[in-house]
Amino acid sequence: MTTRKLTLRLNGREVETEVEPRSNLADVLRGTPGLTGTHVGCEHGVCGACTVIVDGRAVRSCLMLAVQADGAEVETVEGLGTAEALSPLQQAFSDCHALQCGFCTPGMLMTLEAYLRDHPAPTRDEIRDVLSGNICRCTGYQGIVDAAMQAAAALRGRR
Ligand code: FES
Ligand code: FES
């Protein structure tokens, strides 16, 4: 089996591993680093569950080869906060009951995290638009949009 060396800055830490050239980023993140918060649903770029942030942009890790991320800064849901210290977005999801089964939630969080960094004062319609690539089958989007608006306000208060 041919492998390639992959070096990432992953949630703020240098990680070096060997990957098959055909491996996608989602599978690699869920493998040796054990970051299973990155969920894999459709595996063809539709559901958004696998969204992570690569060099500041939200990407679908099921559609990206891991070797394409060599040298990049990669953020996954595990890098947002901890159970003891939730990030503002995670706290807002909890406060607004923005999830039921939670399968889609890591992707929602990473999509919104990337968006809110560049768009501190979004409208509800803009939030709905940016979330249109993230499918949630059980909550409806009302609570998710509420959470995004709450998080945006909290983040503005920190700036
Ligand atoms: S698993 Fe990547 S978009 Fe669905
Ligand atoms: S919370 Fe269940 S799919 Fe989104």
Side-chain angles (χ1 to χ4, degrees):
M1 177 178 62
T2 309
T3 61
R4 297 251 193 98
K5 191 171 83 160
L6 174 69
T7 306
L8 301 173
R9 189 153 180 83
L10 183 54
N11 296 331
R13 299 219 315 251
E14 290 293 326
V15 171
E16 203 176 287
T17 186
E18 291 283 328
V19 298
E20 286 186 60
R22 67 189 180 116
S23 297
N24 69 39
L25 182 59
D27 288 345
V28 167
L29 292 171
R30 290 175 55 82
T32 307
L35 299 178
T36 54
T38 298
H39 290 168
V40 176
C42 67
E43 294 190 78
H44 63 268
V46 175
C47 74
C50 66
T51 304
V52 299
I53 300 175
V54 177
D55 287 337
R57 293 175 48 212
V59 304
R60 285 159 199 258
S61 58
C62 72
L63 291 186
M64 184 172 186
L65 293 171
V67 291
Q68 291 177 289
D70 190 38
E73 173 102 32
V74 177
E75 297 166 75
T76 69
V77 71
E78 288 87 350
L80 288 186
T82 64
E84 296 73 32
L86 297 176
S87 74
L89 192 53
Q90 289 171 317
Q91 187 62 56
F93 264 61
S94 174
D95 292 346
C96 299
H97 310 291
L99 62 145
Q100 287 184 37
C101 79
F103 190 84
C104 66
T105 307
M108 296 272 181
L109 289 170
M110 299 318 283
T111 296
L112 289 168
E113 178 74 19
Y115 184 75
L116 293 178
R117 287 177 190 170
D118 296 333
H119 303 85
T123 65
R124 293 184 73 86
D125 282 348
E126 285 167 344
I127 294 294
R128 285 186 182 279
D129 194 43
V130 77
L131 286 177
S132 60
N134 290 76
I135 297 172
C136 174
R137 303 186 112 183
C138 50
T139 71
Y141 288 82
Q142 194 66 28
I144 295 168
V145 176
D146 290 346
M149 296 301 283
Q150 177 179 311
L155 289 165
R156 283 197 301 277
R158 289 183 168 195
R159 285 175 176 154

